[in-house]
Amino acid sequence: MRGHISAHAVCTAIRDDIVSGALAPGSRLIEDILAARYGVSRVPVREALRTLQSEGFVTTRHHAGACVAELTEQEAADLLDLRTLVEPLGAARAAARRTSAHLKVLRGLVRLGRERSRHGHPADLCQLDGWFHETLAQAAGSPSLTALLTQLRRKIEWMYVMEPPSRVTASWDEHGAVLDAVARGDAERARALMTAHIERSLPVYRLRRAAPAVRDPKRPVNTARARA
């Protein structure tokens, strides 16, 4: 059923492999090889590469074709600066536009995050943190802003390793404070609290060094992992 897998699912699979380092910075992205790797035809691969180029994960080189992008250290540092500027805006918009469904999910995530932080589950906490920020981005009520925040978080995950945080409990208390401001509709407080939260979290980011590509010649696309 090679022709029935969407370009969106293929795009998600390639992006995940770039972010994880399975497709290393600078490595060539040959359509035939990628089609075999993910068990699809070349058509969705070609569409996926165009999307990933527009997102900045893929670049095109003369005589080499599509390659995984290579960001400089300055460009990587700019990603964190952009997060400091854009994510507080997202929190402020969420305070004005969030739905009861968003608040329910956010409250559940904060409750779980606080519980896991007390019992020491670092893998769970990293995933919960990502879900919290992604849900807050969705609560901003702007597809363009949500897409920008999501893309920014993926690029930061691609370029940085997060050191085990030394202030896990405090971090989830900060999430809870942001949530309280969002629930009350206090946009300026949500913005200020998110700015402070991001600034306190900056020391845990360590620039990731390029790793050799992982050889995995045929890996069918897992469409269930495709993210919106």
Side-chain angles (χ1 to χ4, degrees):
M1 303 295 289
R2 290 162 68 99
H4 294 279
I5 298 175
S6 71
H8 174 76
V10 176
C11 182
T12 298
I14 297 174
R15 187 193 297 109
D16 285 349
D17 279 346
I18 290 173
V19 169
S20 71
L23 294 172
S27 60
R28 292 184 64 193
L29 298 170
I30 300 169
E31 289 180 11
D32 287 340
I33 294 176
L34 291 173
R37 177 185 178 91
Y38 301 111
V40 299
S41 70
R42 290 178 59 183
V43 175
V45 169
R46 189 176 303 122
E47 292 180 34
L49 291 178
R50 282 199 292 265
T51 298
L52 292 169
Q53 183 169 357
S54 71
E55 293 179 356
F57 289 98
V58 169
T59 188
T60 302
R61 291 179 181 168
H62 191 52
H63 298 312
C67 302
V68 178
E70 298 179 272
L71 297 186
T72 65
E73 290 191 14
Q74 183 59 63
E75 289 171 318
D78 287 345
L79 292 175
L80 295 180
D81 286 341
L82 281 171
R83 184 191 176 203
T84 303
L85 293 171
V86 179
E87 197 158 358
L89 172 63
R93 292 290 185 270
R97 301 171 180 170
R98 83 290 183 279
T99 66
S100 57
H102 290 132
L103 291 177
K104 182 177 180 180
V105 173
L106 289 166
R107 285 176 177 135
L109 290 169
V110 169
R111 185 173 61 251
L112 280 172
R114 284 172 163 162
E115 177 187 306
R116 296 293 193 276
S117 67
R118 287 195 301 269
H119 296 93
H121 296 277
D124 289 351
L125 286 168
C126 183
Q127 191 172 51
L128 288 169
D129 179 79
W131 287 344
F132 176 85
H133 286 279
E134 286 183 18
T135 304
L136 198 61
Q138 291 164 7
S142 165
S144 297
L145 182 55
T146 300
L148 177 60
L149 287 166
T150 301
Q151 182 179 330
L152 192 55
R153 288 188 63 79
R154 287 171 179 160
K155 282 192 173 181
I156 289 171
E157 182 184 353
W158 174 36
M159 294 308 301
Y160 289 91
V161 177
M162 286 188 69
E163 300 284 6
S166 58
R167 46 185 296 279
V168 176
T169 302
S171 179
W172 280 98
D173 286 343
E174 291 163 15
H175 286 161
V178 170
L179 172 56
D180 288 344
V182 168
R184 289 198 307 271
D186 190 337
E188 288 313 307
R189 181 161 175 76
R191 184 197 302 267
L193 288 170
M194 181 57 76
T195 299
H197 170 66
I198 292 170
E199 288 175 350
R200 292 189 188 107
S201 73
L202 289 177
V204 308
Y205 288 97
R206 177 171 55 82
L207 196 62
R208 189 192 300 271
R209 297 301 173 187
V214 175
R215 295 190 178 277
D216 185 8
K218 289 191 177 183
R219 185 170 69 80
V221 171
N222 181 357
T223 53
R225 295 183 63 204
R227 292 175 290 196

